[in-house]
Amino acid sequence: MSTQKPERTQGRAHASKRPAANHSSPAGAKPPATKTSKHRSQSAATSSAVAHSAREAALDVLVRVEENQSYSNLLLNQTLQKYALERADAALTTELVYGTIGRKNTIDFFLERFVSKGLAKLEPWVVCLLRLSLYQLKYLDRIPDHAVVSEAVQIAKRRGHQGISGMVNGVLRSIIRSKEELTLPTAFGDVKRIAYGHSHPEWLVRRWIRQYGVELAEQICAANNEPPHLSLRANAMRADREQLLRELQESGIRAEASPLAPAGILVQGAGNMALDPRFQQGDYSIQDESSMLVAEALDPQPGMRVLDCCAAPGGKTAHIAEKMNDQGEIWACDLHEHKRKLIEDQAKRLGLTSIHTLVMDALELPEHFAPESFDRILLDAPCSAFGVIRRKPDLKWAKEEEDVSNICNLQSALLDKVHRLLKPGGILVYSTCTIERSENDEFVRHFLEQHDEFDLAPLPSEAFQAIEQQDAQAGMVQIFPQQFRSDGFFIARLQKRR
């Protein structure tokens, strides 16, 4: 996905309902300022004296996501490194963070029944602790109820005061007594039933029902709550997929060939594959299977001149270079200076020298390069990213409906600029990691209506064997997250007439 993302919407609906600090409020609410400082100081001292648990690490991430609208995946990675948790605890932390955020509105719907004054009057960390605990009680079978309550109360004591820990204890014990009653009203219509049953914003569910119908919208929402695959892309410069697959299996890793991507390998239970020496020596990259199809659609050949307009962090750029046998010239552009290093680090790790980086707004690329000077152009456009919700569940709560139309305007401006750089007969691939039709097929058809020098070109049949052949031949494919358990992705292959 591109790094040129729109500004994130400020202020979540839930957070906006929360009142300012109430200094005289009872247990669970914010205590007086001086007391707060004292408590925080004591809490910090106490926390530093105890080993961090998976739940405490998860709570740290959840609070920062709630308060700062930070990306959960980035915060989680930072927190796991900071706390240096054992592998099992790191896995539990990941499950708790993604599960709690992913089920947020359903969890809040149930919690409101048990918090007499409402969630909006509690401090963010108390709300997050209750959410985290309810997620374990309702959605995780392997953790005993008493362990959930005990650890939540201990965390509440360390972070707050006796009154808060008592309230947390009371709420969670009430939930346990009423577990069988944690069900949704049968009178809900399709929108509310899917929105709360699979925990998505109602506006998003309503939008997907309008685009795809009730059944498919529900399948998409359900898939967004499932853990994503871990997939690797074999570096063709080092070894083909079969060789790497054999090496992984011989070293005891459960691995199998991806049914979707020709260069892809699915692995299970192998932990963080970025720590494997084979990753460091450039034998593979970690990339979603759908994302791997983008370079396949571009079909770059050795010696070509290629432009990747929104390249960071560089996964697709590197794949393009590998497919060109590192022969030719690839310009990898991105808006942000600090992301140039991500691309260069990838190229160095993989042993690729054909990649050149450029920090520039993609809208200005026609001022930097001569018209019709590239054989291939990839515009992996900034998008609403609704195809990667299972990897970044906070996305669905952070965005609002008007964000979709705003991003469409940017996509239109980008494609209008960069298509001029393509040689006659050249190929331009437009891709997004979303399932929004206004950003995908509808967007491409609108572009074609205005640019009769472009046609849709069939996607390479060998690389797209797993895709409905009628769609591949038509030159546009929409991959939904429930189809292959990969990211939701859209790819269109456009050819400029000679």
Side-chain angles (χ1 to χ4, degrees):
M1 189 179 70
S2 164
T3 58
Q4 291 177 297
K5 293 170 181 167
E7 291 296 322
R8 305 191 82 197
T9 306
Q10 296 300 310
R12 293 178 184 169
H14 182 80
S16 65
K17 294 175 184 173
R18 192 166 299 128
N22 180 352
H23 292 255
S24 60
S25 54
K30 193 174 181 181
T34 52
K35 233 176 162 183
T36 301
S37 301
K38 182 180 177 183
H39 279 299
R40 284 180 179 164
S41 176
Q42 289 173 339
S43 296
T46 307
S47 296
S48 66
V50 300
H52 286 292
S53 68
R55 293 176 186 82
E56 198 143 21
L59 181 60
D60 277 355
V61 177
L62 292 172
V63 171
R64 292 174 67 188
V65 170
E66 179 75 6
E67 291 186 323
N68 304 324
Q69 302 247 321
S70 305
Y71 285 121
S72 58
N73 60 325
L74 300 180
L75 279 179
L76 179 61
N77 288 337
Q78 293 169 7
T79 302
L80 292 179
Q81 290 177 16
K82 175 183 171 187
Y83 287 1
L85 296 172
E86 295 292 329
R87 185 167 157 181
D89 281 342
L92 178 58
T93 302
T94 302
E95 165 75 47
L96 295 177
V97 168
Y98 287 148
T100 302
I101 294 175
R103 301 280 184 179
K104 191 175 82 166
N105 72 342
T106 312
I107 289 172
D108 285 2
F109 181 83
F110 292 135
L111 270 179
E112 289 285 1
R113 302 180 188 177
F114 300 94
V115 179
S116 59
K117 295 187 180 301
L119 294 177
K121 293 191 176 179
L122 299 180
E123 284 194 87
W125 74 264
V126 181
V127 176
C128 291
L129 180 59
L130 290 174
R131 285 176 181 157
L132 173 70
S133 302
L134 192 144
Y135 176 72
Q136 296 169 78
L137 293 172
K138 180 166 175 60
Y139 295 104
L140 298 185
D141 296 331
R142 63 184 184 273
I143 302 178
D145 290 352
H146 65 82
V148 175
V149 177
S150 175
E151 181 130 11
V153 169
Q154 292 307 314
I155 291 174
K157 285 179 180 176
R158 287 196 291 272
R159 294 193 178 220
H161 53 70
Q162 191 65 37
I164 294 179
S165 64
M167 184 276 289
V168 168
N169 184 49
V171 168
L172 295 183
R173 291 191 181 283
S174 296
I175 291 172
I176 291 171
R177 288 194 296 271
S178 307
K179 252 186 175 182
E180 299 302 317
E181 299 168 20
L182 296 181
T183 58
L184 299 173
T186 56
F188 274 178
D190 285 333
V191 173
K192 277 186 175 290
R193 177 179 59 78
I194 296 173
Y196 285 94
H198 302 288
S199 216
H200 280 64
E202 289 185 44
W203 70 265
L204 192 54
V205 173
R206 190 175 297 109
R207 194 176 177 94
W208 287 347
I209 288 177
R210 191 165 62 240
Q211 294 179 43
Y212 299 114
V214 173
E215 185 177 353
L216 185 49
E218 184 161 14
Q219 289 175 9
I220 294 167
C221 292
N224 285 343
N225 289 321
E226 295 175 1
H229 275 159
L230 173 58
S231 51
L232 314 179
R233 187 192 75 238
N235 180 359
M237 297 285 294
R238 300 292 179 92
D240 61 25
R241 175 171 73 169
E242 285 63 37
Q243 287 176 278
L244 178 61
L245 181 59
R246 198 162 47 246
E247 282 182 26
L248 293 169
Q249 291 170 336
E250 287 173 355
S251 64
I253 292 175
R254 283 187 292 162
E256 59 181 312
S258 163
L260 179 60
I265 293 175
L266 301 176
V267 297
Q268 294 183 48
N272 186 352
M273 290 299 290
L275 301 179
D276 189 294
R278 284 167 289 215
F279 175 80
Q280 299 301 332
Q281 66 193 29
D283 289 357
Y284 61 80
S285 296
I286 299 171
Q287 186 180 24
D288 182 78
E289 298 164 88
S290 296
S291 181
M292 294 179 204
L293 291 179
V294 173
E296 303 288 355
L298 200 65
D299 193 26
Q301 302 297 317
M304 282 187 167
R305 192 167 192 246
V306 180
L307 174 63
D308 186 352
C309 303
C310 308
K316 298 181 188 71
T317 312
H319 194 191
I320 292 168
E322 291 164 14
K323 287 185 67 65
M324 291 168 62
N325 201 28
D326 204 27
Q327 296 173 20
E329 184 181 347
I330 304 167
W331 282 93
C333 307
D334 200 86
L335 178 63
H336 304 289
E337 171 64 41
H338 68 281
K339 294 191 175 177
R340 179 206 295 260
K341 189 171 183 301
L342 297 176
I343 303 171
E344 293 176 343
D345 286 349
Q346 288 239 34
K348 183 178 179 182
R349 181 181 63 81
L350 295 165
L352 302 168
T353 59
S354 59
I355 297 172
H356 308 271
T357 57
L358 176 65
V359 177
M360 182 170 285
D361 189 330
L363 293 170
E364 298 174 1
L365 289 173
E367 299 168 19
H368 188 80
F369 295 111
E372 301 186 340
S373 58
F374 286 95
D375 301 286
R376 297 284 190 270
I377 294 178
L378 169 59
L379 177 56
D380 185 46
C383 67
S384 57
F386 291 145
V388 295
I389 284 177
R390 60 156 64 107
R391 295 187 192 278
K392 301 174 182 177
D394 42 305
L395 276 171
K396 62 187 177 186
W397 309 120
K399 291 190 181 294
E400 297 180 356
E401 191 156 17
E402 57 262 35
D403 293 335
V404 177
S405 56
N406 291 339
I407 201 71
C408 286
N409 293 334
L410 176 58
Q411 291 161 345
S412 180
L414 286 170
L415 187 54
D416 186 60
K417 290 285 186 181
V418 303
H419 83 271
R420 305 170 194 179
L421 300 174
L422 188 67
K423 290 179 181 178
I427 297 292
L428 186 155
V429 167
Y430 171 84
S431 63
T432 71
C433 59
T434 191
I435 59 172
E436 270 294 319
R437 294 194 61 187
S438 60
E439 301 176 57
N440 295 339
D441 62 314
E442 293 177 357
F443 172 79
V444 170
R445 293 189 197 286
H446 181 68
F447 172 79
L448 291 172
E449 287 172 3
Q450 297 180 320
H451 296 84
D452 58 7
E453 73 274 29
F454 278 87
D455 294 307
L456 282 168
L459 291 155
S461 56
E462 189 173 344
F464 283 78
Q465 288 181 354
I467 301 294
E468 179 64 49
Q469 283 306 293
Q470 188 175 350
D471 293 340
Q473 282 299 306
M476 287 197 294
V477 294
Q478 175 67 71
I479 300 170
F480 292 101
Q482 79 279 7
Q483 287 180 290
F484 301 96
R485 294 191 63 196
S486 63
D487 289 349
F489 230 88
F490 173 81
I491 301 171
R493 189 170 197 253
L494 303 166
Q495 185 163 30
K496 190 173 186 178
R497 292 178 185 165
R498 294 184 185 277

